[in-house]
Amino acid sequence: VSLVQTQRAERAEREGRERAELANERATVALDFLLGVFQQVEPGNGGREIRMVDALARTSLDFRERLAATPSIAAALGRTIGLAHSALGDLEAAERHLRESLEHYEQVRSAQDPARLQTAVDLVAVLLQRGSFDDADTLLADVEASLPDAAAPPMLRVAAVLRRAELHRIRNQREIARDMLRELLDAPPPIGPEARQAWFAHNQLASVLHQLGDLDAADGHYRLALGEFERRGDLRHPEALTIVNNIAVLEASRGRFAAAEPLFEQLLAARREVLGEAHPHTIGTISNLAGVRSRLGRHREAAEAFRAVLAALGERASDREPTVQTLLSNLATAEREAGNLDEALRVGYRVLAARRDALGESHPTTLMTLAMLAEAHRRAHELPVAKERFDECARVAETQQPPDLVNLYRGIFGRARCELEAGELSAAERSLRRCGELHASAERAAGDKAVLPPAQPLLDELQRALEQAGRAGGAEPSDGGR
């Protein structure tokens, strides 16, 4: 027994010494890395003007080679570098470092190791931002398969659920996302109000409710999400600014564009100061502000802003990334409203191809882009093409389960405009009356009334056309009076 006890004690001492040596080595590496980052700001290396993202890139290149033989340390440091790049908005570098970190963890840790799983969840978040939805889905499924056998902390499990809900939302499975998030927020033990995931879950649920047209409920959850940062007195935190942005977008969805403009202006000033000019969130705010100004009739000003952002992005402007797709779509809309129809169609078909590839033919955002293009064809007096595009939008929207009533409305309303211009008065009246029914009674369409043109003004125009045609003795037979 004495010998066994001695051997156990020796083994425990040896393992403790190895852990201490590993911890000391990690601390030394971390200190060296930190010193390497700050050495980049020496005058000979760029001085005060060097960007943090560049300092990270220069230092991490050296450490990648140095740590090749120590995967456990390379994994931990790589994840830290990847998260830093993500926070700075350099998503391409973030993905690269997180992938390398995950590969290192897979060399030295089991599939159920919490550190490996957390790194995978972090990578999923970056992939979703970059528009790599299939890759994100595959990786997240691997995490979900490993979690039941893992001694993972509760917040890691919550993070995996949040990413799955986000993927459901992106893929237009909004009711599933809504139910997952509500269950998460209501489940015992609840997510504590101080946990980061609490604000994220409320913000995510608000986004889903916003898209479903339940604007009042969305506003309530946005306010709950912001409440955590208000309690901490930290309203300039980047994540708090994200919620403020979503509240401003909600105001625009309600048609309150004059109220939304100053909110976006204030947000843009804060994001430029906190995140910098090139950060994706800053770029998104510029895009949202330009979109509001376009809604207020300043289309040329808006188009110039969208073009300037795309030019600043340069080679980083990959059409697969959702941020770039939004910029292109808004640019096409602004060009259309400014009367530059050739340019609107050129840019519009570019973003339509990107969204079909990334999201699929039936996604609401893809159909919205199709309707935007159809309207550009209508304004170019290409009525047969415009009708074809509007019909495609309505047909695909109606076949969804449940039907996508907002894009169904867009398709039918656009066709009605084409029919009215072509003098097809009976067909126009049928289309417009169906639009009136959708606009008045469909809850989902009602949530977007601010961005859907009402049918009644066109019905009034149709009635005038019928009366004029009747006086001329050449009226097309109508299907009934008003």
Side-chain angles (χ1 to χ4, degrees):
V1 176
S2 178
L3 178 60
V4 172
Q5 290 176 336
T6 301
Q7 289 174 337
R8 286 177 178 172
E10 289 176 350
R11 185 169 63 251
E13 181 184 358
R14 184 174 63 254
E15 291 174 352
R17 186 169 59 250
E18 290 173 354
R19 285 195 297 270
E21 289 173 355
L22 181 59
N24 183 61
E25 186 178 0
R26 284 180 174 173
T28 301
V29 170
L31 179 59
D32 288 349
F33 182 82
L34 185 62
L35 291 173
V37 170
F38 282 104
Q39 283 171 359
Q40 298 297 326
V41 301
E42 292 178 356
N45 291 327
R48 293 170 58 88
E49 300 305 318
I50 190 168
R51 299 186 307 159
M52 178 59 77
V53 69
D54 295 324
L56 277 172
R58 293 181 189 179
T59 310
S60 60
L61 181 63
D62 173 63
F63 272 75
R64 185 183 304 152
E65 298 173 359
R66 173 178 163 183
L67 298 176
T70 54
S72 62
I73 299 176
L77 188 58
R79 175 175 177 254
T80 301
I81 296 170
L83 292 175
H85 278 288
S86 177
L88 291 167
D90 189 350
L91 299 178
E92 181 179 357
E95 179 182 346
R96 183 174 65 254
H97 284 285
L98 287 171
R99 283 191 184 278
E100 291 177 357
S101 174
L102 192 57
E103 290 171 2
H104 287 306
Y105 272 127
E106 288 169 349
Q107 293 178 35
V108 295
R109 301 287 180 91
S110 70
Q112 293 78 31
D113 182 81
R116 188 196 80 84
L117 294 173
Q118 182 62 67
T119 303
V121 171
D122 295 334
L123 179 55
V124 167
V126 171
L127 291 172
L128 290 174
Q129 291 180 74
R130 299 203 71 198
S132 301
F133 305 129
D134 290 342
D135 287 349
D137 192 357
T138 300
L139 183 56
L140 186 55
D142 171 67
V143 171
E144 291 165 337
S146 300
L147 274 173
D149 299 323
M155 287 300 102
L156 174 55
R157 297 175 185 273
V158 168
V161 173
L162 288 170
R163 297 308 173 196
R164 176 57 66 188
E166 187 174 359
L167 191 55
H168 281 306
R169 179 186 65 81
I170 289 168
R171 288 181 163 170
N172 196 34
Q173 298 162 333
R174 295 168 180 169
E175 288 83 0
I176 297 174
R178 177 198 60 201
D179 294 344
M180 286 182 68
L181 292 164
R182 282 177 171 166
E183 182 179 355
L184 186 64
L185 287 165
D186 293 341
I191 303 175
E194 300 304 319
R196 180 184 184 277
Q197 284 83 352
W199 80 262
F200 192 91
H202 280 296
N203 184 64
Q204 204 167 330
L205 177 57
S207 297
V208 172
L209 293 169
H210 187 170
Q211 291 176 333
L212 288 171
D214 194 348
L215 303 189
D216 290 339
D219 184 75
H221 281 282
Y222 281 138
R223 303 292 175 178
L224 285 171
L226 193 61
E228 177 188 344
F229 297 95
E230 289 175 333
R231 286 191 296 272
R232 288 165 22 191
D234 197 12
L235 288 174
R236 291 179 64 78
H237 191 284
E239 292 166 342
L241 296 178
T242 294
I243 303 167
V244 173
N245 172 79
N246 293 342
I247 292 172
V249 170
L250 186 66
E251 286 293 292
S253 295
R254 285 172 159 156
R256 304 171 185 170
F257 302 114
E261 184 180 18
L263 291 177
F264 281 125
E265 288 173 340
Q266 296 165 16
L267 180 64
L268 180 57
R271 278 186 159 166
R272 277 175 165 155
E273 181 180 347
V274 174
L275 301 174
E277 190 73 30
H279 195 283
H281 291 169
T282 306
I283 291 168
T285 306
I286 296 172
S287 176
N288 286 336
L289 177 57
V292 165
R293 287 172 174 168
S294 184
R295 288 282 184 175
L296 291 170
R298 287 139 57 190
H299 307 300
R300 295 186 185 279
E301 178 185 347
E304 289 173 4
F306 292 131
R307 281 196 298 270
V309 172
L310 287 165
L313 285 173
E315 295 181 355
R316 292 185 293 137
S318 167
D319 285 9
R320 274 204 63 85
E321 295 196 9
T323 298
V324 175
Q325 292 172 14
T326 299
L327 282 167
L328 289 170
S329 178
N330 289 341
L331 172 59
T333 301
E335 294 285 20
R336 185 194 69 190
E337 296 301 311
N340 301 325
L341 298 178
D342 288 343
E343 182 66 5
L345 288 167
R346 184 189 70 80
V347 177
Y349 276 107
R350 176 181 165 187
V351 73
L352 179 65
R355 282 178 163 163
R356 279 175 166 165
D357 181 55
L359 301 170
E361 297 276 351
S362 61
H363 193 279
T365 308
T366 305
L367 294 179
M368 180 184 69
T369 307
L370 184 63
M372 179 267 293
L373 280 165
E375 178 63 13
H377 282 296
R378 184 189 73 82
R379 297 190 190 191
H381 306 294
E382 298 167 354
L383 295 184
V385 180
K387 283 183 185 178
E388 183 181 341
R389 299 290 180 270
F390 280 127
D391 285 348
E392 181 183 356
C393 178
R395 183 178 64 255
V396 176
E398 194 165 23
T399 59
Q400 300 310 295
Q401 293 297 328
D404 178 357
L405 297 180
V406 172
N407 282 307
L408 175 60
Y409 184 98
R410 286 189 174 111
I412 297 171
F413 186 82
R415 181 177 179 86
R417 279 178 161 171
C418 295
E419 291 164 341
L420 194 56
E421 289 182 19
E424 301 165 359
L425 303 185
S426 291
E429 184 173 23
R430 286 194 299 271
S431 298
L432 286 170
R433 290 200 179 283
R434 189 171 181 202
C435 285
E437 293 168 1
L438 284 171
H439 205 270
S441 62
E443 180 180 346
R444 193 182 305 240
D448 276 287
K449 279 185 178 179
V451 295
L452 294 179
Q456 192 57 48
L458 272 193
L459 277 168
D460 295 340
E461 183 180 336
L462 171 66
Q463 185 64 26
R464 289 193 295 271
L466 286 169
E467 291 171 354
Q468 291 171 0
R471 285 197 297 270
E476 178 184 346
S478 173
D479 294 329
R482 294 178 62 196

